[in-house]
Amino acid sequence: MRDARDSTQGGTLASALQLPEGSAARRPLPGVRPGPPRCRGTRERGRWASARNVRGLSNAADCCGCCPGADPALFVSALSTRTACGPTMRRLGSVQRKMPCVFVTEVKEEPSTKREHQPFKVLATETISHKALDADIHSAIPTEKVDGTCCYVTAYKGQPYLWARLDRKPNKLAEKRFKNFLHSKQNSKEFFWNVEEDFKPVPECWIPAKEIEQLNGNPMPDENGHIPGWVPVEKNNKQYCWHSSVVNYEFEIALVLRHHSDDPGLLEISAVPLSDLLEQTLELIGTNINGNPYGLGSKKHPLHLLIPHGAFQIRNLPTLKHNDLLSWFEGCREGKIEGIVWHCSDGCLIKVHRHHLGLCWPIPDTYMNSKPVIINMNLNNYVYAFDAKCLFNHFSKIDNQKFGRLKDIILNV
Protein backbone atom coordinates (compact mmCIF):
# COMPACT_ATOMS: atom_id res chain seq x y z
CA MET A 1 0.00 0.00 0.00
CA ARG A 2 1.52 3.26 -1.09
CA ASP A 3 0.87 6.85 -0.08
CA ALA A 4 -0.25 8.81 -3.14
CA ARG A 5 2.08 11.68 -2.34
CA ASP A 6 5.42 10.45 -1.09
CA SER A 7 7.31 7.89 0.95
CA THR A 8 9.58 8.88 3.79
CA GLN A 9 12.99 7.71 4.81
CA GLY A 10 11.56 6.35 8.05
CA GLY A 11 9.83 3.50 6.23
CA THR A 12 12.92 2.77 4.15
CA LEU A 13 15.14 2.69 7.19
CA ALA A 14 12.78 0.42 9.09
CA SER A 15 12.71 -2.00 6.17
CA ALA A 16 16.48 -1.92 5.90
CA LEU A 17 16.86 -2.77 9.56
CA GLN A 18 14.38 -5.60 9.08
CA LEU A 19 12.04 -4.51 11.81
CA PRO A 20 8.97 -6.74 12.04
CA GLU A 21 6.34 -5.88 9.48
CA GLY A 22 2.61 -5.98 9.93
CA SER A 23 0.26 -8.06 7.87
CA ALA A 24 -2.69 -6.94 5.80
CA ALA A 25 -5.90 -8.64 6.77
CA ARG A 26 -9.33 -8.78 5.30
CA ARG A 27 -12.53 -8.53 7.25
CA PRO A 28 -14.32 -11.87 6.82
CA LEU A 29 -17.73 -11.63 5.22
CA PRO A 30 -20.51 -12.16 7.74
CA GLY A 31 -22.63 -15.25 7.28
CA VAL A 32 -26.38 -15.34 6.91
CA ARG A 33 -28.09 -15.30 10.26
CA PRO A 34 -31.68 -15.12 11.54
CA GLY A 35 -33.09 -11.66 11.83
CA PRO A 36 -36.21 -9.51 12.01
CA PRO A 37 -39.06 -9.81 9.51
CA ARG A 38 -38.24 -9.21 5.88
CA CYS A 39 -37.48 -5.64 4.89
CA ARG A 40 -40.50 -3.86 3.44
CA GLY A 41 -38.48 -1.67 1.13
CA THR A 42 -35.35 0.38 0.65
CA ARG A 43 -34.51 3.74 2.07
CA GLU A 44 -35.66 6.73 0.08
CA ARG A 45 -33.44 7.01 -3.04
CA GLY A 46 -31.77 3.78 -1.88
CA ARG A 47 -28.43 5.16 -0.73
CA TRP A 48 -27.29 1.61 -0.09
CA ALA A 49 -29.28 -0.12 -2.80
CA SER A 50 -32.12 0.25 -5.25
CA ALA A 51 -35.19 -1.94 -5.09
CA ARG A 52 -33.72 -4.28 -7.69
CA ASN A 53 -30.71 -4.96 -5.42
CA VAL A 54 -32.77 -6.24 -2.50
CA ARG A 55 -35.61 -7.97 -4.34
CA GLY A 56 -35.81 -11.57 -3.25
CA LEU A 57 -33.54 -11.19 -0.22
CA SER A 58 -34.93 -12.54 2.99
CA ASN A 59 -33.06 -11.84 6.20
CA ALA A 60 -31.16 -9.31 8.26
CA ALA A 61 -28.07 -9.61 6.10
CA ASP A 62 -30.17 -8.57 3.12
CA CYS A 63 -32.14 -5.78 4.77
CA CYS A 64 -31.65 -2.19 3.69
CA GLY A 65 -31.19 -1.23 7.34
CA CYS A 66 -34.60 0.31 7.91
CA CYS A 67 -36.01 -2.62 9.90
CA PRO A 68 -35.77 -2.56 13.72
CA GLY A 69 -32.61 -4.38 14.80
CA ALA A 70 -31.15 -4.55 11.31
CA ASP A 71 -27.43 -4.02 10.92
CA PRO A 72 -26.63 -1.67 7.97
CA ALA A 73 -22.98 -2.75 8.03
CA LEU A 74 -24.10 -6.35 7.62
CA PHE A 75 -26.32 -5.29 4.75
CA VAL A 76 -23.61 -3.49 2.80
CA SER A 77 -21.14 -6.36 3.28
CA ALA A 78 -23.68 -8.84 1.96
CA LEU A 79 -24.56 -6.55 -0.92
CA SER A 80 -20.93 -6.25 -1.95
CA THR A 81 -20.76 -9.99 -2.65
CA ARG A 82 -23.98 -10.49 -4.57
CA THR A 83 -26.34 -8.26 -6.46
CA ALA A 84 -29.28 -8.96 -8.71
CA CYS A 85 -28.27 -6.46 -11.35
CA GLY A 86 -24.82 -7.61 -12.42
CA PRO A 87 -21.74 -9.77 -11.85
CA THR A 88 -20.28 -9.81 -8.37
CA MET A 89 -16.84 -8.45 -7.53
CA ARG A 90 -14.92 -11.26 -5.85
CA ARG A 91 -13.23 -10.10 -2.69
CA LEU A 92 -9.88 -11.32 -1.46
CA GLY A 93 -7.62 -9.53 1.02
CA SER A 94 -7.99 -5.89 1.99
CA VAL A 95 -4.75 -3.88 2.01
CA GLN A 96 -4.82 -2.08 5.32
CA ARG A 97 -1.19 -2.48 6.42
CA LYS A 98 2.30 -2.92 5.03
CA MET A 99 2.77 -6.36 3.50
CA PRO A 100 5.78 -8.49 4.47
CA CYS A 101 8.02 -10.12 1.85
CA VAL A 102 7.60 -13.84 1.22
CA PHE A 103 11.34 -14.28 1.72
CA VAL A 104 13.61 -13.23 4.53
CA THR A 105 15.35 -10.05 3.32
CA GLU A 106 18.85 -8.71 3.74
CA VAL A 107 20.51 -5.35 3.13
CA LYS A 108 23.21 -5.00 0.45
CA GLU A 109 25.45 -1.94 0.35
CA GLU A 110 24.64 -1.14 -3.28
CA PRO A 111 22.74 1.80 -4.81
CA SER A 112 19.03 1.10 -4.94
CA THR A 113 17.31 0.75 -8.30
CA LYS A 114 13.94 1.40 -6.63
CA ARG A 115 14.59 4.68 -4.83
CA GLU A 116 16.90 7.45 -6.01
CA HIS A 117 19.68 8.46 -3.63
CA GLN A 118 19.22 5.32 -1.52
CA PRO A 119 22.70 3.81 -1.02
CA PHE A 120 21.51 0.27 -0.25
CA LYS A 121 19.24 -2.48 -1.58
CA VAL A 122 16.82 -4.70 0.31
CA LEU A 123 17.06 -8.09 -1.38
CA ALA A 124 15.35 -11.43 -0.82
CA THR A 125 17.30 -14.42 0.40
CA GLU A 126 16.35 -17.98 -0.54
CA THR A 127 14.65 -18.55 2.82
CA ILE A 128 10.87 -18.31 3.05
CA SER A 129 9.84 -16.10 5.98
CA HIS A 130 8.14 -17.47 9.09
CA LYS A 131 5.20 -15.14 8.51
CA ALA A 132 4.64 -16.63 5.07
CA LEU A 133 4.86 -20.19 6.39
CA ASP A 134 2.57 -19.43 9.32
CA ALA A 135 0.01 -18.03 6.86
CA ASP A 136 0.18 -21.25 4.79
CA ILE A 137 1.69 -19.49 1.79
CA HIS A 138 1.74 -22.70 -0.28
CA SER A 139 -2.07 -22.77 -0.30
CA ALA A 140 -2.51 -19.03 -0.91
CA ILE A 141 -3.94 -17.40 -4.04
CA PRO A 142 -1.23 -15.54 -6.03
CA THR A 143 -2.30 -12.29 -7.71
CA GLU A 144 -0.61 -9.52 -9.66
CA LYS A 145 0.77 -6.65 -7.59
CA VAL A 146 -0.45 -3.54 -9.42
CA ASP A 147 1.61 -0.34 -9.37
CA GLY A 148 -0.61 2.54 -8.30
CA THR A 149 -1.86 4.20 -5.12
CA CYS A 150 -4.11 2.47 -2.62
CA CYS A 151 -7.78 3.44 -2.17
CA TYR A 152 -10.62 2.22 -0.02
CA VAL A 153 -14.41 2.23 -0.39
CA THR A 154 -16.51 2.68 2.73
CA ALA A 155 -19.42 4.77 3.95
CA TYR A 156 -19.30 8.57 4.23
CA LYS A 157 -22.19 11.03 4.39
CA GLY A 158 -24.64 8.15 4.25
CA GLN A 159 -23.42 6.64 0.99
CA PRO A 160 -20.52 4.58 -0.41
CA TYR A 161 -17.46 6.77 -0.91
CA LEU A 162 -13.95 6.45 -2.28
CA TRP A 163 -11.20 7.18 0.26
CA ALA A 164 -7.55 8.05 -0.47
CA ARG A 165 -4.58 6.76 1.47
CA LEU A 166 -3.21 9.31 3.94
CA ASP A 167 -0.72 8.27 6.60
CA ARG A 168 -0.53 10.30 9.77
CA LYS A 169 3.18 11.06 10.10
CA PRO A 170 5.33 12.22 13.01
CA ASN A 171 6.37 15.84 13.37
CA LYS A 172 10.04 16.78 12.90
CA LEU A 173 11.06 16.35 16.53
CA ALA A 174 9.37 12.97 16.91
CA GLU A 175 10.71 11.75 13.56
CA LYS A 176 14.27 12.70 14.57
CA ARG A 177 13.85 10.89 17.88
CA PHE A 178 12.50 7.81 16.09
CA LYS A 179 15.36 7.73 13.57
CA ASN A 180 17.90 7.99 16.36
CA PHE A 181 16.20 5.06 18.03
CA LEU A 182 16.34 2.99 14.84
CA HIS A 183 20.06 3.60 14.44
CA SER A 184 20.76 2.58 18.02
CA LYS A 185 18.05 -0.06 18.36
CA GLN A 186 18.65 -2.83 20.90
CA ASN A 187 16.41 -5.77 21.62
CA SER A 188 16.02 -4.68 25.24
CA LYS A 189 14.63 -1.28 24.32
CA GLU A 190 11.25 -0.13 23.08
CA PHE A 191 10.26 3.12 21.45
CA PHE A 192 7.41 4.99 23.09
CA TRP A 193 5.14 7.28 21.12
CA ASN A 194 3.00 10.06 22.49
CA VAL A 195 0.28 9.88 19.86
CA GLU A 196 -1.35 13.15 20.91
CA GLU A 197 1.88 15.19 20.69
CA ASP A 198 4.22 13.36 18.28
CA PHE A 199 2.10 13.43 15.12
CA LYS A 200 1.06 16.01 12.60
CA PRO A 201 -2.64 16.93 12.53
CA VAL A 202 -4.94 15.26 10.01
CA PRO A 203 -8.35 16.33 8.68
CA GLU A 204 -11.30 15.70 11.00
CA CYS A 205 -12.72 13.23 8.48
CA TRP A 206 -9.54 11.10 8.59
CA ILE A 207 -9.96 7.51 9.82
CA PRO A 208 -7.21 5.03 10.77
CA ALA A 209 -6.76 1.92 8.66
CA LYS A 210 -8.30 -1.26 9.98
CA GLU A 211 -6.23 -3.92 11.73
CA ILE A 212 -3.68 -1.47 13.13
CA GLU A 213 -2.80 -1.75 16.79
CA GLN A 214 -4.70 0.36 19.32
CA LEU A 215 -3.67 1.51 22.77
CA ASN A 216 -6.25 3.02 25.10
CA GLY A 217 -8.47 3.63 22.10
CA ASN A 218 -5.74 5.42 20.11
CA PRO A 219 -4.36 4.01 16.84
CA MET A 220 -0.64 3.28 17.17
CA PRO A 221 2.12 3.83 14.57
CA ASP A 222 3.43 0.90 12.55
CA GLU A 223 7.07 -0.14 12.34
CA ASN A 224 7.73 2.76 9.96
CA GLY A 225 6.50 5.37 12.45
CA HIS A 226 3.33 6.07 10.45
CA ILE A 227 -0.32 5.62 11.32
CA PRO A 228 -1.92 4.36 8.09
CA GLY A 229 -5.29 5.87 7.35
CA TRP A 230 -7.80 7.24 4.87
CA VAL A 231 -9.52 10.48 3.90
CA PRO A 232 -12.69 10.71 1.79
CA VAL A 233 -12.22 11.88 -1.78
CA GLU A 234 -14.41 14.95 -2.11
CA LYS A 235 -15.52 15.98 -5.56
CA ASN A 236 -13.78 19.37 -5.65
CA ASN A 237 -10.62 18.51 -3.70
CA LYS A 238 -7.74 19.38 -6.06
CA GLN A 239 -5.26 17.32 -4.04
CA TYR A 240 -7.20 14.19 -4.99
CA CYS A 241 -8.46 15.25 -8.42
CA TRP A 242 -7.27 12.03 -10.08
CA HIS A 243 -9.07 9.96 -7.47
CA SER A 244 -12.29 11.91 -7.97
CA SER A 245 -12.08 11.46 -11.76
CA VAL A 246 -12.91 7.75 -11.39
CA VAL A 247 -16.05 8.12 -9.26
CA ASN A 248 -19.44 9.76 -9.63
CA TYR A 249 -21.26 10.17 -6.32
CA GLU A 250 -24.55 11.29 -7.85
CA PHE A 251 -24.98 7.91 -9.52
CA GLU A 252 -22.71 6.08 -7.04
CA ILE A 253 -20.51 4.43 -9.65
CA ALA A 254 -16.78 3.94 -10.23
CA LEU A 255 -14.56 3.25 -13.25
CA VAL A 256 -13.11 -0.22 -12.78
CA LEU A 257 -10.65 -2.30 -14.78
CA ARG A 258 -10.98 -6.07 -14.39
CA HIS A 259 -11.10 -9.28 -16.41
CA HIS A 260 -14.10 -9.82 -18.65
CA SER A 261 -16.47 -12.24 -16.94
CA ASP A 262 -16.71 -14.53 -20.01
CA ASP A 263 -13.14 -14.27 -21.31
CA PRO A 264 -10.17 -14.26 -18.89
CA GLY A 265 -7.89 -13.19 -21.76
CA LEU A 266 -9.86 -9.96 -22.20
CA LEU A 267 -9.81 -6.91 -19.95
CA GLU A 268 -12.91 -4.79 -19.39
CA ILE A 269 -13.44 -1.20 -18.33
CA SER A 270 -16.87 -0.74 -16.82
CA ALA A 271 -18.93 1.45 -14.50
CA VAL A 272 -19.39 -0.51 -11.27
CA PRO A 273 -21.78 0.47 -8.45
CA LEU A 274 -19.80 1.72 -5.47
CA SER A 275 -22.03 -0.47 -3.30
CA ASP A 276 -20.42 -3.50 -4.98
CA LEU A 277 -17.02 -2.30 -3.76
CA LEU A 278 -17.85 -1.52 -0.14
CA GLU A 279 -15.11 -2.43 2.35
CA GLN A 280 -12.72 -3.31 -0.45
CA THR A 281 -9.36 -1.73 -1.20
CA LEU A 282 -8.36 -0.95 -4.77
CA GLU A 283 -5.39 0.40 -6.69
CA LEU A 284 -5.72 3.67 -8.60
CA ILE A 285 -3.56 3.60 -11.75
CA GLY A 286 -3.16 6.05 -14.58
CA THR A 287 -1.47 8.97 -16.25
CA ASN A 288 -0.52 10.89 -13.11
CA ILE A 289 0.11 8.03 -10.68
CA ASN A 290 3.62 6.69 -9.91
CA GLY A 291 5.09 7.66 -13.26
CA ASN A 292 2.33 5.84 -15.19
CA PRO A 293 4.09 2.46 -15.67
CA TYR A 294 1.19 1.14 -17.77
CA GLY A 295 1.20 4.04 -20.24
CA LEU A 296 -2.42 5.10 -19.77
CA GLY A 297 -3.73 8.26 -21.43
CA SER A 298 -1.63 11.36 -22.03
CA LYS A 299 -0.85 14.68 -20.40
CA LYS A 300 -3.49 16.32 -22.56
CA HIS A 301 -6.06 13.57 -22.01
CA PRO A 302 -5.28 11.88 -18.66
CA LEU A 303 -6.85 8.50 -17.93
CA HIS A 304 -7.21 6.82 -14.55
CA LEU A 305 -8.87 3.58 -13.45
CA LEU A 306 -9.48 1.52 -10.30
CA ILE A 307 -8.41 -2.12 -9.96
CA PRO A 308 -9.76 -4.14 -7.00
CA HIS A 309 -6.96 -5.81 -5.07
CA GLY A 310 -6.72 -9.47 -6.02
CA ALA A 311 -8.54 -8.94 -9.33
CA PHE A 312 -5.74 -10.36 -11.50
CA GLN A 313 -5.02 -13.89 -10.33
CA ILE A 314 -1.86 -15.64 -11.54
CA ARG A 315 -2.63 -19.07 -12.96
CA ASN A 316 0.74 -20.67 -13.75
CA LEU A 317 3.12 -19.59 -11.03
CA PRO A 318 6.20 -21.82 -10.50
CA THR A 319 7.21 -23.37 -7.20
CA LEU A 320 7.94 -20.98 -4.36
CA LYS A 321 11.71 -20.96 -4.79
CA HIS A 322 13.92 -17.92 -5.27
CA ASN A 323 15.51 -19.04 -8.56
CA ASP A 324 12.23 -20.32 -10.02
CA LEU A 325 10.48 -17.01 -9.33
CA LEU A 326 13.45 -15.09 -10.72
CA SER A 327 13.30 -17.12 -13.96
CA TRP A 328 9.53 -16.63 -14.14
CA PHE A 329 9.81 -12.83 -13.81
CA GLU A 330 12.60 -12.70 -16.41
CA GLY A 331 11.39 -15.24 -18.97
CA CYS A 332 7.59 -15.48 -18.93
CA ARG A 333 5.11 -13.08 -20.44
CA GLU A 334 2.96 -13.41 -17.29
CA GLY A 335 5.99 -12.36 -15.26
CA LYS A 336 6.10 -8.85 -16.73
CA ILE A 337 4.44 -7.42 -13.63
CA GLU A 338 5.55 -5.34 -10.64
CA GLY A 339 5.29 -8.21 -8.21
CA ILE A 340 3.13 -10.88 -6.64
CA VAL A 341 0.69 -10.65 -3.72
CA TRP A 342 -0.40 -13.92 -2.10
CA HIS A 343 -3.85 -13.86 -0.49
CA CYS A 344 -3.70 -16.36 2.37
CA SER A 345 -6.64 -18.23 3.85
CA ASP A 346 -6.31 -16.41 7.19
CA GLY A 347 -6.56 -13.01 5.45
CA CYS A 348 -2.84 -12.21 5.52
CA LEU A 349 -1.23 -10.71 2.43
CA ILE A 350 2.35 -11.64 1.52
CA LYS A 351 4.27 -10.03 -1.34
CA VAL A 352 7.39 -10.13 -3.44
CA HIS A 353 8.50 -7.19 -5.60
CA ARG A 354 10.75 -7.43 -8.61
CA HIS A 355 13.24 -5.28 -6.71
CA HIS A 356 13.46 -7.95 -4.00
CA LEU A 357 14.94 -10.22 -6.69
CA GLY A 358 17.28 -7.56 -8.08
CA LEU A 359 15.09 -6.90 -11.13
CA CYS A 360 14.07 -3.53 -12.58
CA TRP A 361 10.68 -1.87 -12.50
CA PRO A 362 9.04 -0.26 -14.41
CA ILE A 363 9.62 -2.20 -17.62
CA PRO A 364 8.71 -1.29 -21.23
CA ASP A 365 6.11 -3.97 -22.00
CA THR A 366 3.95 -4.95 -19.04
CA TYR A 367 1.73 -8.01 -18.99
CA MET A 368 -1.28 -5.76 -18.38
CA ASN A 369 -0.64 -4.16 -21.77
CA SER A 370 -0.44 -7.50 -23.59
CA LYS A 371 -4.18 -8.10 -23.38
CA PRO A 372 -7.02 -6.59 -25.42
CA VAL A 373 -9.55 -4.47 -23.56
CA ILE A 374 -13.21 -3.76 -24.20
CA ILE A 375 -15.30 -0.81 -23.00
CA ASN A 376 -18.51 -1.96 -21.36
CA MET A 377 -20.09 1.03 -19.67
CA ASN A 378 -23.87 0.56 -20.09
CA LEU A 379 -24.53 4.21 -19.20
CA ASN A 380 -27.51 4.88 -21.44
CA ASN A 381 -29.60 6.11 -18.53
CA TYR A 382 -26.93 8.55 -17.34
CA VAL A 383 -25.16 9.88 -20.41
CA TYR A 384 -26.96 13.21 -20.61
CA ALA A 385 -26.35 13.95 -16.94
CA PHE A 386 -22.54 13.64 -17.00
CA ASP A 387 -20.21 16.58 -17.23
CA ALA A 388 -18.88 16.80 -20.79
CA LYS A 389 -15.26 16.64 -19.62
CA CYS A 390 -15.56 13.70 -17.21
CA LEU A 391 -14.19 10.23 -17.92
CA PHE A 392 -17.63 8.63 -17.74
CA ASN A 393 -18.85 10.82 -20.58
CA HIS A 394 -15.74 10.07 -22.68
CA PHE A 395 -16.09 6.32 -22.16
CA SER A 396 -19.81 6.44 -23.02
CA LYS A 397 -18.80 7.68 -26.48
CA ILE A 398 -16.60 4.63 -27.11
CA ASP A 399 -18.87 2.09 -25.41
CA ASN A 400 -18.54 -1.47 -26.78
CA GLN A 401 -15.33 -0.62 -28.60
CA LYS A 402 -12.41 -3.04 -28.33
CA PHE A 403 -8.73 -2.05 -28.20
CA GLY A 404 -5.59 -4.11 -28.66
CA ARG A 405 -4.18 -2.91 -25.33
CA LEU A 406 -4.70 -0.27 -22.66
CA LYS A 407 -2.11 2.02 -24.21
CA ASP A 408 -4.24 2.30 -27.35
CA ILE A 409 -7.15 3.99 -25.59
CA ILE A 410 -7.09 7.68 -26.47
CA LEU A 411 -9.86 9.88 -25.10
CA ASN A 412 -10.11 12.74 -27.55
CA VAL A 413 -12.13 15.69 -26.29
Side-chain angles (χ1 to χ4, degrees), residues 245 248 251 253-255 269-271 303 305 374-403 409-412:
S245 71
N248 183 291
F251 301 117
I253 53 178
L255 279 174
I269 297 174
S270 57
L303 170 58
L305 301 166
I374 191 168
I375 313 300
N376 186 13
M377 302 302 291
N378 193 25
L379 295 173
N380 294 334
N381 295 331
Y382 308 124
V383 65
Y384 296 109
F386 288 120
D387 185 288
K389 296 181 179 179
C390 79
L391 287 177
F392 293 93
N393 187 53
H394 292 323
F395 275 116
S396 69
K397 295 178 180 178
I398 56 173
D399 197 15
N400 297 318
Q401 289 191 33
K402 189 174 181 180
F403 298 85
I409 300 176
I410 304 297
L411 300 178
N412 293 319

Side-chain angles (χ1 to χ4, degrees), residues 130-148:
H130 287 297
K131 286 188 177 181
L133 293 174
D134 291 343
D136 193 14
I137 188 69
H138 294 288
S139 300
I141 299 174
T143 67
E144 177 178 348
K145 185 180 187 301
V146 177
D147 189 359

